[in-house]
Structures are given as C-alpha cells and as structure tokens.
Amino acid sequence: NTTGLLNFIVDTLSPGTVNLSRPVHMFNSTQTTVDFNFSGVDNVATRLSCALSLDNVLNKSTYGNNGSLQNVQVTGMPNGVHTWNVSCNDSSGNVNWSTNTFTLTVDTLNLSDMVINSPGEGYNSSSVNVTINWTAKDNVATTLLCNVTVDGAVNNTAYVFETNGSYANYTIFGMSNGRHEMNVTCWDGLWHFNTTGLLNFTVDSVRPYTVNL
C-alpha cells in the first residue's frame, strides 16, 4: 500500500526586502494621524505578516500579500520627531527588517513663546537706526523664519533666520522722527506662527532749535 503524496516547502530564507514607502524620510506632518505604507518581498510565501515599530517600540501588525503595499494608520501621535521601521516574517518564521529607518516630525502647535527683549516699551531713540532684539521658541523646529513689522509694514526684504530659542537681532535703518510701533512674527517649517505684542517707541534725532538763557 502507498500513502498519498505529502507536499511540503523548505524555506530557510528571510523575506528578501522590506521597503518603506510613506511617509517619506524626514516628512513633516501637521496632523496627529499618520498612514504608514510599506511592503515585504519573499522568495516563497504568498502572504507576509509585518509589524510597524515607532520609536523602537512595536506599534501595530498587519497581514498582506507578498510584494503588495500594506497600510497601518496610527492616531494620536504626539508632537515631536519620531523614527519608524518595519519587520516582516513569512509562514516559516523567517524575519527581516527594513534596511532604512525613517524619521518624521509631527508639529500641530504654533510657536510657544514670542518676546521682544529690547528696546523696551516707550523707548526714545536719538538715532534714526533702531535695533530690535527678540526671542522666539518652538516645540519642534530648530530654525525659525521671522519678519519685523514697523508701522504696519514689513521692514525686512528677506526673512530673518533665528535659531529656536536664541536671541535674534534686526536693525531698522533711516527711520523718520516721531512715534512708531513695531512687532515681530516668526514661523516654523510648517508655517505655524506667533506674533509679539506691539512695541511703541519714539525716534527724535533733532537737537533743540534754541536754547534760551
């Protein structure tokens, strides 16, 4: 007597490649819900189980066709910089990881703090050139773009670059004598912004016309 045929598969190889698709490396998101797309390719298996790791912690797993794009949606991601990668295993338990680890930034917040350090409110300048110093702070960005507005019009012809949380300076040249007001607006890389309050100051570069004894 003879048994029926027994079919079996020998698979000692890990999935050949695990590809990260979206979000692309160094992606910036203004949303706390992010869709992650990736795929795994195996030499034998028709289906693969893949797991998404966020910040070196297993987040979610999914099951899909060999070589096909898989999707995992993550909600409630906190503001900040995150890393992600994916591992896939076949039906024989062979595992492989994506060769790359991607980063993404979640930033849903406006700049947290904006302050003019100098001059002070009500400043009187004997020079027609006035230098303003300010500090802007953001929860994520390393570099901020800033504008100085004087009497309702932007004064700088190009953005003033500021390192997040550091002092920044800008000089307004050739101001007319009289009362003026100015403020500063800064943006992060996702165009979240904040603006200082108005600072009132006076330019008086003219000596008294007469001195009576």
Side-chain angles (χ1 to χ4, degrees), residues 61-111:
S61 297
T62 184
Y63 196 61
N65 292 329
N66 181 18
S68 297
L69 202 64
Q70 300 186 41
N71 181 79
V72 169
Q73 185 177 84
V74 178
T75 61
M77 291 192 64
N79 283 273
V81 180
H82 303 276
T83 59
W84 71 282
N85 57 13
V86 173
S87 64
C88 290
N89 66 83
D90 58 23
S91 55
S92 299
N94 302 308
V95 181
N96 199 7
W97 288 84
S98 55
T99 56
N100 297 318
T101 295
F102 283 2
T103 64
L104 75 147
T105 299
V106 176
D107 186 359
T108 64
L109 303 175
N110 285 328
L111 278 65

Side-chain angles (χ1 to χ4, degrees), residues 32-38 52 54 59-60 70-77:
T32 59
T33 297
V34 179
D35 287 304
F36 295 87
N37 298 152
F38 47 85
L52 167 70
L54 273 176
N59 186 274
K60 286 185 179 180
Q70 300 186 41
N71 181 79
V72 169
Q73 185 177 84
V74 178
T75 61
M77 291 192 64

Side-chain angles (χ1 to χ4, degrees), residues 26-199:
M26 299 182 70
F27 179 73
N28 294 313
S29 175
T30 59
Q31 306 294 324
T32 59
T33 297
V34 179
D35 287 304
F36 295 87
N37 298 152
F38 47 85
S39 61
V41 178
D42 189 70
N43 62 315
V44 175
T46 57
R47 303 272 286 174
L48 294 175
S49 175
C50 296
L52 167 70
S53 291
L54 273 176
D55 302 324
N56 296 317
V57 177
L58 177 64
N59 186 274
K60 286 185 179 180
S61 297
T62 184
Y63 196 61
N65 292 329
N66 181 18
S68 297
L69 202 64
Q70 300 186 41
N71 181 79
V72 169
Q73 185 177 84
V74 178
T75 61
M77 291 192 64
N79 283 273
V81 180
H82 303 276
T83 59
W84 71 282
N85 57 13
V86 173
S87 64
C88 290
N89 66 83
D90 58 23
S91 55
S92 299
N94 302 308
V95 181
N96 199 7
W97 288 84
S98 55
T99 56
N100 297 318
T101 295
F102 283 2
T103 64
L104 75 147
T105 299
V106 176
D107 186 359
T108 64
L109 303 175
N110 285 328
L111 278 65
S112 59
D113 191 23
M114 287 281 299
V115 60
I116 295 176
N117 303 310
S118 66
E121 173 65 22
Y123 173 68
N124 290 297
S125 174
S126 60
S127 172
V128 296
N129 302 326
V130 177
T131 298
I132 181 173
N133 175 280
W134 71 88
T135 303
K137 295 179 181 179
D138 187 68
N139 63 312
V140 174
T142 56
T143 302
L144 305 174
L145 307 177
C146 300
N147 275 344
V148 177
T149 300
V150 180
D151 299 330
V154 174
N155 187 267
N156 47 293
T157 56
Y159 286 117
V160 179
F161 289 88
E162 178 198 348
T163 300
N164 184 22
S166 66
Y167 294 125
N169 294 291
Y170 179 79
T171 300
I172 308 159
F173 294 99
M175 296 199 66
S176 61
N177 285 277
R179 293 179 59 83
H180 300 277
E181 60 183 22
M182 62 180 170
N183 61 10
V184 179
T185 301
C186 292
W187 293 263
D188 64 16
L190 295 177
W191 300 108
H192 299 119
F193 71 96
N194 204 347
T195 304
T196 67
L198 284 173
L199 172 73

